[in-house]
Amino acid sequence: MGIARNLAGVRERIARACERAGRDPASVKLVAVSKVQSAEAIREALEAGQRAFGENYAQELREKAEAIGESSGIEWHFLGTLQTNKVKMVVGRVALVHTCDRPSLAQELNKRAAALGTVQRVLVEVNLASEPQKGGIVPGDLGPFVDAVRRLPSLRCEGFMCIPPAEDDP
């Protein structure tokens, strides 16, 4: 019951933060990062009411999704750096790709989504400090990249996933 207790604690902190901000807690979606967690741990979180889970590795996502099955009501999110050759493991399986960060990836996501007859929701990953060791579009290239993503008919940009600088207070 540790997972259920931990989830209840996180939900309580979200509720308190929403109260301070004058925001409805129902407007917040908690995405539980389940990378390196077992399918059994994910099932325990599902039993505790958690529905959205984020994975960093395409192969691990595919394996867990197959083990848990679609009938569970689970909603998968992809959070990690996505190689274009792994897009086929992600599109059609995830509600949202949080790390669309380069034209070749956007094009491959669009191609795969079109082949499946779906629209893939994405967040554009932004590297706010333009740090070379981090992924993401640098702010100066953001406008043209978002325009290019908007022209891809099988992608829908839902917003940004921003990576703050390592040194400064975000």
Side-chain angles (χ1 to χ4, degrees):
M1 293 305 292
I3 291 175
R5 184 175 49 251
N6 289 343
L7 276 170
V10 169
R11 289 184 185 123
E12 178 57 34
R13 289 197 309 273
I14 290 170
R16 286 194 309 267
C18 285
E19 185 178 320
R20 288 190 305 273
R23 182 174 176 176
D24 179 5
S27 71
V28 174
K29 179 177 283 193
L30 174 62
V31 178
V33 178
S34 52
K35 71 176 187 175
V36 305
Q37 298 299 314
S38 68
E40 292 76 29
I42 295 170
R43 284 189 193 95
E44 188 177 336
L46 280 164
E47 288 173 17
Q50 179 61 32
R51 291 291 170 260
F53 293 85
E55 286 290 333
N56 283 48
Y57 304 108
Q59 289 166 295
E60 190 174 338
L61 167 67
R62 180 187 63 199
E63 292 165 7
K64 289 176 182 175
E66 290 171 358
I68 292 171
E70 294 179 26
S71 63
S72 65
I74 198 166
E75 178 183 289
W76 293 106
H77 291 242
F78 191 80
L79 309 173
T81 300
L82 184 56
Q83 298 172 334
T84 55
N85 66 339
K86 306 260 173 96
V87 164
K88 64 185 171 285
M89 294 182 215
V90 173
V91 172
R93 184 168 273 146
V94 300
L96 186 63
V97 173
H98 293 236
T99 53
C100 187
D101 66 350
R102 58 196 184 283
S104 61
L105 177 59
Q107 291 165 359
E108 188 64 25
L109 287 163
N110 180 69
K111 177 181 156 186
R112 183 66 178 168
L116 294 174
T118 191
V119 173
Q120 179 62 62
R121 296 168 49 227
V122 300
L123 297 177
V124 170
E125 181 179 8
V126 183
N127 183 342
L128 293 174
S130 304
E131 295 172 291
Q133 73 276 20
K134 293 182 179 176
I137 293 289
V138 297
D141 294 339
L142 187 57
F145 182 67
V146 170
D147 288 342
V149 169
R150 283 186 182 150
R151 288 191 297 272
L152 297 172
S154 294
L155 285 190
R156 186 170 72 216
C157 180
E158 302 254 322
F160 303 108
M161 190 280 284
C162 297
I163 303 173
E167 299 300 319
D168 298 331
D169 181 0

